[in-house]
Amino acid sequence: MDLASISALNGLTGTSQVTSSILGDMSTNSTAKADGTMFESFLNTAVDNLKTTNSYLSDAENEEIKFALGETENTHDLTIALQKASTALQYTVALRDKLLEAYKELMQIQI
């Protein structure tokens, strides 16, 4: 998408802030690429997402243990913790699969 088509979106209501933030991000991304920090930020984000997934799985396990020991009778918290853990794990697995697919595709490129 070129900058002219993005600038044309300013005529729509409520898009001027989005457009300016997109254009601002484009300029910061070019400097990030020059500094070599773009991959570092991507890696840090991935590690943070994995830590979040692990914490959700740990919370779900703790809720299961509390429920099994009879320390709590609130099944609502258990259900929420299990659903959060399940959703986070599904997202993480889907992201891993996409990354592996992209890696395999890159490895098949002939030089």
Side-chain angles (χ1 to χ4, degrees):
M1 184 179 273
D2 62 337
L3 295 178
S5 62
I6 291 175
S7 298
L9 291 177
N10 281 334
L12 299 175
T13 57
T15 60
S16 61
Q17 292 175 344
V18 174
T19 304
S20 62
S21 68
I22 290 171
L23 293 175
D25 289 344
M26 285 181 176
S27 64
T28 57
N29 282 344
S30 63
T31 58
K33 288 180 186 177
D35 294 338
T37 59
M38 188 170 176
F39 180 74
E40 182 181 357
S41 66
F42 175 75
L43 186 62
N44 289 337
T45 303
V47 169
D48 290 342
N49 287 339
L50 285 175
K51 287 179 183 178
T52 303
T53 300
N54 284 336
S55 71
Y56 285 151
L57 290 171
S58 176
D59 291 345
E61 186 177 335
N62 290 339
E63 287 294 328
E64 284 178 338
I65 291 171
K66 285 181 186 177
F67 186 74
L69 293 175
E71 293 177 6
T72 183
E73 295 179 6
N74 189 357
T75 58
H76 184 69
D77 290 339
L78 174 63
T79 306
I80 289 173
L82 288 173
Q83 188 61 42
K84 278 184 179 180
S86 175
T87 304
L89 188 59
Q90 287 174 357
Y91 175 74
T92 303
V93 168
L95 188 62
R96 181 207 59 188
D97 291 344
K98 287 292 184 181
L99 285 172
L100 284 175
E101 182 181 321
Y103 174 75
K104 288 177 183 177
E105 188 173 324
L106 284 174
M107 293 306 294
Q108 291 179 355
I109 293 175
Q110 302 262 337
I111 297 177

